[in-house]
Amino acid sequence: MTIDPAVVEENEGKLAKVLDVYEARLSQSQEDVAREAIRHALKALKKRHLVEEGAHTPAYIALTRPIISQGSEWKEKAENLEVELQQCYKAQSRLSEQLVVEVAESRALKASLQEKETAIAEFEKELTQTRDECSQLKKDLEEKIKALELVMSEHQELKAQLEQMTIKAKNAEAENKMLVDRWMLQKMQDAERLNEANALYEDMIERLKASGLEKLARQQVDGIVRRSEEGAEFFAESTIPSVCKHRINAHEGGCASILFEYNSGKLISGGQDRSIKLWDTSTGSLSTNLPGCLGSVLDLTITHDNRFIIAASSSNNLFVWEVNSGRVRHTLTGHMDKVCAVDVSKVSSRHVVSAAYDRTIKVWDLQKGYCTNTIIFHSNCNALCFSTDGQTICSGHVDGNLRLWDIQSGKLLSEVAAHSLAITSLCLSRNGNVVLTSGRDNVHNLFDIRTLEVCGSFRASGNRVASNWSRSCISPDDNYIAAGSADGSISIWSIPKRDIVSTLKEHTAPVLCCTWSGLGKPLASADKNGIVCTWT
């Protein structure tokens, strides 16, 4: 029996395919070695088949007969095996692709792992630094706590001292109030004695009138003859103004202060243009211009001998001019903010008082040219004036209170809540017993300076105070009050009738100040545009 070479080759092919499948299933690391071994095994098998072909041919022929009969069945099995082999190849390709993807993912994960390990190392380094900082902060906190405990203990001690000082202050306040009450009682007694003296003096004046000395009687001021270096002050009966006699373009940028010379119709004005001007009210012409002011003029006053004009300036200074020469005699420095109010003593021309927005009131000696006393208070002062005896200062403050100060000691004598808003103006009456206060609450009050009791209250529906330094005034005969308004009008009240007797309208801008001539007329007013009007 002979072996069919075709069958042998077919079997070898199948075996090679099986071996290839087997080789594919081997791990990647042993694949090459396995292939070489298989090749050697195939060569050896071929040789063996060739050697044994002759010996086994009879047996092969005998065996092939049943094999041939089963060839179709084996063929089907081989085809099935080939189909399975193809499926194995496909599965192998899919596994290879999956292996490539997994290898790529593994590499990516390895890189990510390295990055995370690097980040963890950095975080560990930052954690170490943070722990060091935390320990340092903990030490600092302990030191701060110790310092805080020390400060708290000091605070407790200071609190105890403050309580003791508060008790002492209350006791001192009570003593001060008692002294003020005694002082007020003494002033009232002095006022009663003064009234008795005035009554005696009026009786003497009646006798002098009978003797023909009428001129001396006209010079009396509420029973007291006040004399300056140039003669007695003369006050005539005031008239109710109704007609604008002159409209003067006085200053650029506004005029905040005007006043008349004593016993004269000459008007003095100061404005935002840093100038002081003197006007002849009979003609409305400019007579003198006083240069030298370094800031806006907020308030003016003049000595009773008409020799010196003092201006309060926004440059934090006071300027004193000699009227005859027109030159600056003194520049009073010492305030740390704009000076908003000034007044000169009615007893002598030596003492001047000023107030500024540095919360101070200063007393000046004009002969020496320096400050002699400084009063410090928590509320800024907008307006002030001297009493008739020259020993007391009246001040109106931003908190709405009217206060009285002793000029020698600088102590607060008494105070009263005069207005609900800031006081803008103070004007002392001719007899010195009544002071007019005006406030941003649009109310004008009369206070008895001896008792600080309200003697009268005046207001009008259209009258509104224009600024913190709006100045109102009392007529020389103490019968009328004049006050400007933000709408440009001027209201005139009768003090005895407690009612408005006239409303003057000429200004087109808010009226900032009004002043009455000591001769009884004219009345002068100034507005925010620098226009000055005289009224008769």
Side-chain angles (χ1 to χ4, degrees), residues 491-509:
S491 299
I492 310 294
W493 287 272
S494 171
I495 295 177
K497 296 179 181 179
R498 305 293 179 89
D499 197 6
I500 289 182
V501 294
S502 179
T503 301
L504 309 178
K505 295 182 179 181
E506 180 66 26
H507 293 279
T508 58

Side-chain angles (χ1 to χ4, degrees), residues 8-9 12 39-53:
V8 173
E9 289 179 0
E12 287 178 356
R39 287 192 187 98
H40 286 293
L42 287 173
K43 288 179 181 180
L45 186 61
K46 285 180 180 181
K47 288 180 180 181
R48 187 177 178 182
H49 275 291
L50 290 174
V51 173
E52 294 179 355
E53 183 179 356

